[in-house]
Amino acid sequence: MAAGAVAATALLVLAAAAAAVSGLPAINVTAMVFEEGYAPLFGQDNILRSADGRTVSLLLDRSTGSGFISSSMYQHGFFSASIKLPSDYTAGVVVAFYTSNGDVFEKRHDELDFEFLGNIRGKPWRVQTNVYGNGSVSRGREERYVLPFDPTTEFHRYSILWTAAAVAFYVDDVPVREVRRSASMGGDFPSKPMSLYATVWDASTWATSGGRYRVNYRYGPFVASFTDLALLGCRADPIRMVAGGGPQQASCAADEEALRASDVAVMTVEKQQAMRRFREQNMVYSYCYDTLRYPVALPECDVVESERRRFKDSGHLRFALRRRGPRRSSRGAAAGRAAAAARAAAASRATAAAAAAKKQAADM
């Protein structure tokens, strides 16, 4: 079987397994080859692609990080990738998967973030989500979670849904956060066309224990791999859209209506229940419960009393989450073995060779 076919089969296995665990139907979107929707952003020599173009690895070494960007900007959409994070000692390392228009609207940009925050050996990766609208960086809307699986051993899918009515973040097809638009949010809700980005970079000054632990390049290069790349949305010119849009705005309005009516966007009772379970079991910080920072909760906050009681006034969890030992994956061992075999067949041997060469050069 060809590598591309093996990878496609693995994605179907993983989606079905994730759905079985969560009790939710799998989100079916069409994955694309890198060149169909993306281009290098920076660190060109640290961007490695598999032979079939469906898996991209971003490297961070002593010389630079790396990143890629969508070839188009989108007015709303569903943005998704399966990601495998660097392993071992990753303090100070940040892997980001996010949408933004900061290159076009420097002082009033919009942004939707997945930020994966590395850690010292033995401590888990944490993932942070954030929402900015119209340059509202002084009102960060961070939530932070500890993932219920090891994100370094297998690929897991992370998705951002953005419509005119709501933003939702998904982990393995399970919604983990929803921010619904309200009149009181005003321009804080993202509304202008955005590009999709993926990056790995050195955030030693803040990412791990407030900068206490920095990137140690003896453990590099740090490799984050992306596959199952998906872009579902209306391509848009940001300047024209902000100026009125004309025919383009009408076309995007029709696409928006179809997206909001799709299975991806409809927040069913089952999705709401799965989201509540994830948050109860994995959320370790929420700005909505950070009364030191926001004595009056921001308008979109849906304060859940059962959640609120578990958090300090600082918004951090009162007690450390306790795990029952390491878990390879929430999808189950069988799916994990299938995924590992498929990924090994699909990934380019050149990626591993290049990473090894870079490590050898860094150690010289």
Side-chain angles (χ1 to χ4, degrees), residues 80-121:
S80 182
S82 292
I83 306 171
K84 184 165 68 173
L85 299 175
S87 60
D88 205 355
Y89 187 99
T90 55
V93 177
V94 169
V95 176
F97 180 71
Y98 65 104
T99 65
S100 178
N101 48 35
D103 291 343
V104 180
F105 305 102
E106 183 178 354
K107 295 185 178 180
R108 53 191 185 97
H109 84 286
D110 307 295
E111 189 171 320
L112 300 170
D113 297 330
F114 269 116
E115 291 180 309
F116 302 91
L117 311 179
N119 219 325
I120 59 176
R121 184 185 286 115

Side-chain angles (χ1 to χ4, degrees), residues 228-245:
D228 192 19
L229 299 167
L231 293 169
L232 177 64
C234 182
R235 292 183 175 90
D237 181 298
I239 304 302
R240 289 184 179 180
M241 288 295 291
V242 170

Side-chain angles (χ1 to χ4, degrees), residues 265-336:
V266 175
M267 190 62 68
T268 62
V269 172
E270 290 76 16
K271 287 183 180 180
Q272 292 173 354
Q273 291 172 340
M275 179 167 62
R276 181 64 55 82
R277 286 193 298 270
F278 182 95
R279 294 169 66 84
E280 288 177 348
Q281 296 169 8
N282 302 289
M283 189 166 70
V284 294
Y285 173 82
S286 174
Y287 73 105
C288 285
Y289 303 120
D290 190 343
T291 57
L292 300 180
R293 188 177 178 189
Y294 300 115
V296 177
L298 294 182
E300 72 282 359
C301 285
D302 181 14
V303 175
V304 179
E305 186 60 24
S306 60
E307 278 189 356
R308 188 195 64 77
R309 290 195 298 265
R310 297 187 297 110
F311 290 86
K312 304 175 186 178
D313 292 344
S314 63
H316 293 277
L317 196 66
R318 290 184 181 277
F319 306 101
L321 290 175
R322 293 184 178 180
R323 302 293 186 201
R324 296 181 178 177
R327 296 167 58 187
R328 287 194 61 216
S329 170
S330 61
R331 299 180 172 109

Side-chain angles (χ1 to χ4, degrees), residues 3 5 14 62 76 80 83 104 114-115 124 129 144 148 157 161 165 168 171-172 183 206 244 248 277 288 294 305:
L14 293 178
R62 295 177 189 272
H76 306 126
S80 182
I83 306 171
V104 180
F114 269 116
E115 291 180 309
T129 61
R144 194 171 293 174
R157 181 150 71 163
L161 172 70
V171 174
D172 283 340
W206 66 271
Q248 186 180 62
R277 286 193 298 270
C288 285
Y294 300 115
E305 186 60 24

Side-chain angles (χ1 to χ4, degrees), residues 3-293:
V6 172
T9 301
L11 294 178
L12 292 175
V13 170
L14 293 178
V21 170
S22 67
L24 299 176
I27 297 175
N28 295 313
V29 292
T30 302
M32 62 176 59
V33 174
F34 180 81
E35 288 78 5
E36 292 177 342
Y38 302 90
L41 178 64
F42 70 99
Q44 177 94 22
D45 291 341
N46 279 5
I47 302 175
L48 308 174
R49 307 178 203 178
S50 63
D52 63 4
R54 293 186 177 276
T55 300
V56 180
S57 292
L58 299 180
L59 277 64
L60 167 67
D61 59 19
R62 295 177 189 272
S63 61
T64 184
S66 53
F68 61 83
I69 183 174
S70 61
S71 304
S72 300
M73 300 184 78
Y74 294 84
Q75 181 66 16
H76 306 126
F78 183 79
F79 314 101
S80 182
S82 292
I83 306 171
K84 184 165 68 173
L85 299 175
S87 60
D88 205 355
Y89 187 99
T90 55
V93 177
V94 169
V95 176
F97 180 71
Y98 65 104
T99 65
S100 178
N101 48 35
D103 291 343
V104 180
F105 305 102
E106 183 178 354
K107 295 185 178 180
R108 53 191 185 97
H109 84 286
D110 307 295
E111 189 171 320
L112 300 170
D113 297 330
F114 269 116
E115 291 180 309
F116 302 91
L117 311 179
N119 219 325
I120 59 176
R121 184 185 286 115
K123 298 292 185 180
W125 277 81
R126 296 145 299 149
V127 59
Q128 177 170 284
T129 61
N130 213 335
V131 176
Y132 296 114
N134 206 35
S136 57
V137 293
S138 63
R139 294 180 293 280
R141 291 170 158 86
E142 301 95 339
E143 286 192 348
R144 194 171 293 174
Y145 323 92
V146 174
L147 295 169
F149 48 76
D150 183 347
T152 72
T153 59
E154 297 173 10
F155 285 84
H156 291 265
R157 181 150 71 163
Y158 306 90
S159 309
I160 300 170
L161 172 70
W162 172 44
T163 72
V167 169
F169 297 89
Y170 287 78
V171 174
D172 283 340
D173 298 346
V174 176
V176 303
R177 178 182 182 185
E178 183 185 33
V179 178
R180 301 202 63 81
R181 186 175 193 168
S182 66
S184 53
M185 281 189 73
D188 281 9
F189 190 89
S191 60
K192 300 182 291 294
M194 291 189 276
S195 300
L196 189 282
Y197 295 79
T199 59
V200 59
W201 54 290
D202 185 329
S204 290
T205 58
W206 66 271
T208 306
S209 300
R212 179 181 177 187
Y213 300 100
R214 305 177 66 84
V215 175
N216 187 335
Y217 286 102
R218 290 190 298 129
Y219 297 96
F222 303 96
V223 183
S225 297
F226 297 75
T227 192
D228 192 19
L229 299 167
L231 293 169
L232 177 64
C234 182
R235 292 183 175 90
D237 181 298
I239 304 302
R240 289 184 179 180
M241 288 295 291
V242 170
Q248 186 180 62
Q249 190 171 45
S251 174
C252 282
D255 289 346
E256 158 87 5
E257 184 177 354
L259 177 63
R260 291 176 62 176
S262 69
D263 292 339
V264 170
V266 175
M267 190 62 68
T268 62
V269 172
E270 290 76 16
K271 287 183 180 180
Q272 292 173 354
Q273 291 172 340
M275 179 167 62
R276 181 64 55 82
R277 286 193 298 270
F278 182 95
R279 294 169 66 84
E280 288 177 348
Q281 296 169 8
N282 302 289
M283 189 166 70
V284 294
Y285 173 82
S286 174
Y287 73 105
C288 285
Y289 303 120
D290 190 343
T291 57
L292 300 180
R293 188 177 178 189

